[in-house]
Amino acid sequence: MTRIKALLWDVDGTLAETERDGHRVAFNRAFEACGLPWRWDEARYGKLLGIAGGRERLWHDLQTRDDAPVLADERSALVASVHQKKNAIYAGLVRDGGIPLRPGVMNLLRQCREQGVRMGIATTTSQVNVDALLRVHLGASWADWFSVVVCGEDVRHKKPDPEVYQRAMQALGIGPLECVAIEDSPGGVAAACALDIPVVVTQSAYFADATIEGAVAIGPGLGERGGWRPALRAPSFAGEGVNLDDIRAWCSQMDTISQYE
Protein backbone atom coordinates (compact mmCIF):
# COMPACT_ATOMS: atom_id res chain seq x y z
CA MET A 1 0.00 0.00 0.00
CA THR A 2 0.98 3.61 -0.44
CA ARG A 3 3.18 4.92 2.35
CA ILE A 4 1.76 8.08 3.91
CA LYS A 5 4.09 10.10 6.12
CA ALA A 6 1.63 12.81 7.15
CA LEU A 7 -2.03 13.82 7.20
CA LEU A 8 -2.72 17.53 6.80
CA TRP A 9 -5.99 18.61 8.37
CA ASP A 10 -8.21 21.49 7.44
CA VAL A 11 -10.18 22.76 10.46
CA ASP A 12 -13.47 24.53 9.74
CA GLY A 13 -16.00 22.03 8.40
CA THR A 14 -13.44 19.21 8.47
CA LEU A 15 -12.49 18.67 12.11
CA ALA A 16 -15.82 20.10 13.26
CA GLU A 17 -18.91 21.81 11.86
CA THR A 18 -17.54 25.11 13.07
CA GLU A 19 -18.94 27.26 10.27
CA ARG A 20 -22.64 26.56 10.78
CA ASP A 21 -22.64 25.95 14.53
CA GLY A 22 -19.83 28.26 15.60
CA HIS A 23 -18.53 31.06 13.41
CA ARG A 24 -21.90 32.13 11.98
CA VAL A 25 -23.52 32.16 15.41
CA ALA A 26 -20.56 34.04 16.89
CA PHE A 27 -20.64 36.68 14.15
CA ASN A 28 -24.33 37.33 14.74
CA ARG A 29 -23.79 37.70 18.47
CA ALA A 30 -20.85 40.02 17.80
CA PHE A 31 -23.02 42.19 15.53
CA GLU A 32 -25.55 42.45 18.34
CA ALA A 33 -22.88 43.25 20.93
CA CYS A 34 -21.58 46.04 18.69
CA GLY A 35 -25.07 47.50 18.31
CA LEU A 36 -25.31 46.52 14.65
CA PRO A 37 -28.62 45.40 13.10
CA TRP A 38 -26.92 42.93 10.75
CA ARG A 39 -27.51 39.17 10.85
CA TRP A 40 -26.21 36.38 8.66
CA ASP A 41 -28.72 33.59 8.12
CA GLU A 42 -27.51 30.17 6.99
CA ALA A 43 -28.08 30.94 3.30
CA ARG A 44 -26.19 34.23 3.42
CA TYR A 45 -23.32 32.73 5.34
CA GLY A 46 -23.17 29.84 2.90
CA LYS A 47 -22.57 32.31 0.08
CA LEU A 48 -19.95 34.17 2.10
CA LEU A 49 -18.01 30.94 2.54
CA GLY A 50 -16.85 31.40 -1.04
CA ILE A 51 -14.46 33.93 0.51
CA ALA A 52 -11.67 32.44 2.63
CA GLY A 53 -11.26 33.90 6.10
CA GLY A 54 -13.76 35.39 8.54
CA ARG A 55 -12.23 38.85 8.46
CA GLU A 56 -12.29 38.81 4.69
CA ARG A 57 -15.94 37.75 4.68
CA LEU A 58 -16.78 40.64 6.95
CA TRP A 59 -14.98 43.10 4.67
CA HIS A 60 -16.88 41.75 1.68
CA ASP A 61 -20.21 41.98 3.45
CA LEU A 62 -19.60 45.60 4.47
CA GLN A 63 -19.18 46.54 0.83
CA THR A 64 -22.76 45.43 0.15
CA ARG A 65 -24.35 47.43 2.99
CA ASP A 66 -25.65 50.98 2.70
CA ASP A 67 -25.42 51.45 6.47
CA ALA A 68 -21.74 50.49 6.70
CA PRO A 69 -19.11 53.18 7.41
CA VAL A 70 -18.00 55.01 4.29
CA LEU A 71 -14.46 55.93 5.27
CA ALA A 72 -11.85 53.18 4.95
CA ASP A 73 -10.37 53.87 8.39
CA GLU A 74 -13.78 53.57 10.01
CA ARG A 75 -14.50 50.33 8.18
CA SER A 76 -11.15 48.94 9.21
CA ALA A 77 -11.80 49.80 12.86
CA LEU A 78 -15.27 48.25 12.73
CA VAL A 79 -14.00 45.05 11.13
CA ALA A 80 -11.28 44.75 13.78
CA SER A 81 -13.75 45.33 16.61
CA VAL A 82 -16.40 42.90 15.35
CA HIS A 83 -13.86 40.22 14.51
CA GLN A 84 -12.23 40.44 17.94
CA LYS A 85 -15.60 40.11 19.68
CA LYS A 86 -16.59 37.29 17.35
CA ASN A 87 -13.46 35.28 18.19
CA ALA A 88 -14.08 35.70 21.93
CA ILE A 89 -17.70 34.59 21.53
CA TYR A 90 -16.63 31.65 19.36
CA ALA A 91 -14.17 30.52 22.04
CA GLY A 92 -17.00 30.60 24.57
CA LEU A 93 -19.23 28.49 22.34
CA VAL A 94 -16.48 25.91 22.03
CA ARG A 95 -15.75 25.90 25.77
CA ASP A 96 -19.43 25.30 26.46
CA GLY A 97 -19.28 22.12 24.40
CA GLY A 98 -21.42 23.42 21.59
CA ILE A 99 -19.06 22.33 18.81
CA PRO A 100 -18.05 18.66 18.91
CA LEU A 101 -15.52 17.08 16.60
CA ARG A 102 -17.14 15.41 13.62
CA PRO A 103 -17.72 11.65 13.92
CA GLY A 104 -14.64 9.61 13.02
CA VAL A 105 -12.18 12.46 13.44
CA MET A 106 -10.88 11.47 16.88
CA ASN A 107 -10.46 7.84 15.83
CA LEU A 108 -8.34 8.84 12.84
CA LEU A 109 -6.29 11.29 14.92
CA ARG A 110 -5.51 8.55 17.41
CA GLN A 111 -4.71 6.03 14.70
CA CYS A 112 -2.16 8.41 13.20
CA ARG A 113 -0.43 8.78 16.56
CA GLU A 114 -0.44 5.03 17.12
CA GLN A 115 1.05 4.29 13.70
CA GLY A 116 3.60 7.11 13.68
CA VAL A 117 1.94 9.07 10.87
CA ARG A 118 2.66 12.72 11.51
CA MET A 119 -0.13 15.26 11.38
CA GLY A 120 -0.37 18.92 10.52
CA ILE A 121 -2.96 21.68 10.59
CA ALA A 122 -3.31 23.63 7.33
CA THR A 123 -6.10 26.15 7.73
CA THR A 124 -7.11 29.69 6.85
CA THR A 125 -8.75 30.24 10.23
CA SER A 126 -6.88 32.05 12.99
CA GLN A 127 -4.61 30.48 15.60
CA VAL A 128 -6.91 31.62 18.41
CA ASN A 129 -9.83 29.73 16.86
CA VAL A 130 -7.78 26.57 16.33
CA ASP A 131 -6.58 26.78 19.92
CA ALA A 132 -10.12 27.25 21.23
CA LEU A 133 -11.41 24.17 19.41
CA LEU A 134 -8.55 21.77 19.98
CA ARG A 135 -7.86 22.79 23.58
CA VAL A 136 -11.34 21.52 24.46
CA HIS A 137 -11.06 18.24 22.55
CA LEU A 138 -7.35 17.38 22.85
CA GLY A 139 -6.35 19.26 26.00
CA ALA A 140 -3.97 22.11 26.75
CA SER A 141 -1.12 20.27 25.02
CA TRP A 142 -3.10 19.80 21.80
CA ALA A 143 -0.21 21.15 19.71
CA ASP A 144 1.81 18.06 20.66
CA TRP A 145 -0.50 16.05 18.39
CA PHE A 146 0.72 17.97 15.35
CA SER A 147 4.15 18.34 13.78
CA VAL A 148 3.17 21.63 12.15
CA VAL A 149 0.36 24.15 12.55
CA VAL A 150 -0.14 26.71 9.78
CA CYS A 151 -3.00 29.19 10.28
CA GLY A 152 -4.38 32.24 8.54
CA GLU A 153 -1.91 34.61 10.18
CA ASP A 154 1.01 32.59 8.84
CA VAL A 155 0.31 33.13 5.14
CA ARG A 156 -0.09 36.07 2.80
CA HIS A 157 -2.64 34.33 0.62
CA LYS A 158 -5.47 32.12 1.84
CA LYS A 159 -7.08 29.13 0.18
CA PRO A 160 -7.65 28.40 -2.68
CA ASP A 161 -4.08 29.68 -2.87
CA PRO A 162 -1.78 26.74 -2.01
CA GLU A 163 0.54 28.72 0.29
CA VAL A 164 -0.76 27.13 3.50
CA TYR A 165 -0.01 23.64 2.16
CA GLN A 166 3.34 24.71 0.76
CA ARG A 167 4.40 25.98 4.18
CA ALA A 168 3.16 22.84 5.91
CA MET A 169 5.09 20.54 3.57
CA GLN A 170 8.25 22.63 3.91
CA ALA A 171 8.05 22.45 7.69
CA LEU A 172 7.60 18.67 7.54
CA GLY A 173 10.31 18.20 4.94
CA ILE A 174 8.10 16.03 2.74
CA GLY A 175 6.82 16.02 -0.82
CA PRO A 176 3.22 16.12 -2.05
CA LEU A 177 2.91 12.36 -2.60
CA GLU A 178 4.05 11.67 0.97
CA CYS A 179 1.04 13.36 2.54
CA VAL A 180 -2.74 13.52 2.27
CA ALA A 181 -4.98 16.54 2.83
CA ILE A 182 -8.32 16.13 4.59
CA GLU A 183 -10.69 18.82 3.32
CA ASP A 184 -14.36 19.71 2.98
CA SER A 185 -14.57 22.64 0.53
CA PRO A 186 -13.81 23.27 -3.15
CA GLY A 187 -11.37 26.03 -2.20
CA GLY A 188 -9.45 23.77 0.15
CA VAL A 189 -9.33 20.99 -2.42
CA ALA A 190 -8.05 23.42 -5.04
CA ALA A 191 -5.29 24.61 -2.70
CA ALA A 192 -4.02 21.06 -2.11
CA CYS A 193 -4.43 19.94 -5.71
CA ALA A 194 -2.39 22.91 -6.92
CA LEU A 195 0.59 21.19 -5.29
CA ASP A 196 -0.45 17.67 -6.35
CA ILE A 197 -1.31 16.66 -2.78
CA PRO A 198 -3.89 13.85 -2.69
CA VAL A 199 -7.13 15.02 -1.08
CA VAL A 200 -9.82 13.13 0.81
CA VAL A 201 -13.04 15.15 1.02
CA THR A 202 -15.32 14.71 4.01
CA GLN A 203 -18.43 16.62 3.02
CA SER A 204 -19.60 19.27 5.49
CA ALA A 205 -23.01 20.86 5.98
CA TYR A 206 -22.27 23.86 3.77
CA PHE A 207 -20.49 21.95 1.00
CA ALA A 208 -22.51 18.73 0.87
CA ASP A 209 -23.62 19.45 -2.69
CA ALA A 210 -20.54 21.29 -3.93
CA THR A 211 -18.78 20.19 -7.10
CA ILE A 212 -15.37 18.85 -6.18
CA GLU A 213 -12.62 18.30 -8.71
CA GLY A 214 -9.38 16.44 -8.16
CA ALA A 215 -10.07 14.51 -4.94
CA VAL A 216 -9.00 10.87 -4.53
CA ALA A 217 -12.11 10.17 -2.43
CA ILE A 218 -15.32 11.94 -1.46
CA GLY A 219 -17.73 10.87 1.25
CA PRO A 220 -20.23 11.97 3.88
CA GLY A 221 -17.85 11.87 6.84
CA LEU A 222 -14.98 9.99 8.43
CA GLY A 223 -17.35 8.26 10.83
CA GLU A 224 -19.18 6.45 8.04
CA ARG A 225 -18.18 3.75 5.58
CA GLY A 226 -21.19 4.03 3.31
CA GLY A 227 -21.62 6.66 0.62
CA TRP A 228 -17.94 7.01 -0.30
CA ARG A 229 -16.56 7.21 -3.82
CA PRO A 230 -14.56 5.01 -4.38
CA ALA A 231 -16.63 2.64 -2.24
CA LEU A 232 -15.25 1.17 0.96
CA ARG A 233 -15.56 -2.45 2.02
CA ALA A 234 -18.37 -3.35 4.41
CA PRO A 235 -17.60 -2.53 8.06
CA SER A 236 -16.24 -5.33 10.21
CA PHE A 237 -18.10 -3.98 13.24
CA ALA A 238 -20.77 -1.41 13.96
CA GLY A 239 -19.52 2.15 14.17
CA GLU A 240 -16.33 1.60 12.20
CA GLY A 241 -15.29 4.65 10.22
CA VAL A 242 -12.59 5.55 7.71
CA ASN A 243 -9.10 4.39 8.70
CA LEU A 244 -5.56 4.88 7.49
CA ASP A 245 -5.62 1.70 5.39
CA ASP A 246 -8.65 3.10 3.53
CA ILE A 247 -6.79 6.33 2.80
CA ARG A 248 -3.73 4.41 1.64
CA ALA A 249 -5.91 2.34 -0.68
CA TRP A 250 -7.51 5.44 -2.18
CA CYS A 251 -4.11 6.98 -2.78
CA SER A 252 -2.85 3.83 -4.49
CA GLN A 253 -5.58 4.34 -7.11
CA MET A 254 -4.65 7.94 -7.86
CA ASP A 255 -3.44 7.23 -11.37
CA THR A 256 -6.86 5.88 -12.37
CA ILE A 257 -9.24 7.72 -10.03
CA SER A 258 -8.77 11.45 -9.82
CA GLN A 259 -12.05 13.31 -10.10
CA TYR A 260 -15.63 13.19 -8.95
CA GLU A 261 -18.42 15.69 -9.36
Side-chain angles (χ1 to χ4, degrees):
M1 275 188 184
T2 301
R3 186 185 179 196
I4 298 171
K5 293 184 178 179
L7 251 58
L8 302 178
W9 292 88
D10 173 54
V11 174
D12 292 325
T14 301
L15 288 178
E17 286 285 6
T18 52
E19 298 291 11
R20 180 193 62 194
D21 303 330
H23 293 300
R24 185 187 67 86
V25 174
F27 265 117
N28 285 337
R29 293 184 184 178
F31 293 148
E32 185 176 2
C34 291
L36 298 168
W38 310 333
R39 299 294 182 270
W40 289 343
D41 60 21
E42 289 193 20
R44 174 60 177 162
Y45 193 70
K47 292 180 180 178
L48 288 170
L49 285 178
I51 301 165
R55 188 184 295 267
E56 289 79 3
R57 289 176 201 129
L58 186 54
W59 266 108
H60 176 82
D61 190 64
L62 258 62
Q63 295 172 20
T64 70
R65 295 186 179 275
D66 295 333
D67 56 347
V70 176
L71 298 178
D73 288 348
E74 292 179 353
R75 285 195 181 194
S76 181
L78 180 60
V79 167
S81 176
V82 171
H83 198 254
Q84 183 178 34
K85 285 184 181 296
K86 171 260 171 184
N87 282 345
I89 293 168
Y90 174 82
L93 288 171
V94 175
R95 283 195 304 271
D96 292 341
I99 308 177
L101 295 180
R102 292 184 63 185
V105 166
M106 183 60 81
N107 287 340
L108 191 54
L109 289 171
R110 287 174 175 158
Q111 192 175 49
C112 285
R113 279 166 64 95
E114 292 168 359
Q115 296 190 22
V117 174
R118 291 186 293 171
M119 292 185 288
I121 295 291
T123 180
T124 57
T125 199
S126 62
Q127 174 78 36
V128 66
N129 289 337
V130 175
D131 179 75
L133 180 69
L134 295 183
R135 182 175 291 270
V136 167
H137 296 293
L138 301 179
S141 300
W142 65 265
D144 293 343
W145 287 62
F146 303 95
S147 299
V148 60
V149 177
V150 186
C151 299
E153 302 96 322
D154 303 318
V155 296
R156 295 181 60 188
H157 306 289
K158 295 186 176 182
K159 299 173 185 177
D161 189 278
E163 183 181 358
V164 65
Y165 281 113
Q166 183 68 59
R167 287 181 176 271
M169 284 196 303
Q170 288 175 344
L172 291 169
I174 59 176
L177 297 183
E178 296 176 301
C179 59
V180 176
I182 312 295
E183 279 282 357
D184 75 303
S185 70
V189 173
C193 287
L195 298 174
D196 295 324
I197 298 172
V199 189
V200 170
V201 175
T202 172
Q203 294 168 310
S204 62
Y206 274 114
F207 296 108
D209 299 319
T211 297
I212 301 293
E213 297 183 354
V216 298
I218 298 174
L222 296 172
E224 302 180 41
R225 296 192 66 78
W228 282 90
R229 295 170 289 166
L232 292 171
R233 59 174 172 77
S236 57
F237 60 90
E240 182 181 9
V242 174
N243 58 47
L244 277 173
D245 283 343
D246 297 321
I247 295 175
R248 293 183 182 107
W250 281 327
C251 289
S252 70
Q253 303 174 55
M254 280 193 304
D255 56 342
T256 57
I257 300 174
S258 62
Q259 179 175 324
Y260 296 89
E261 296 182 356

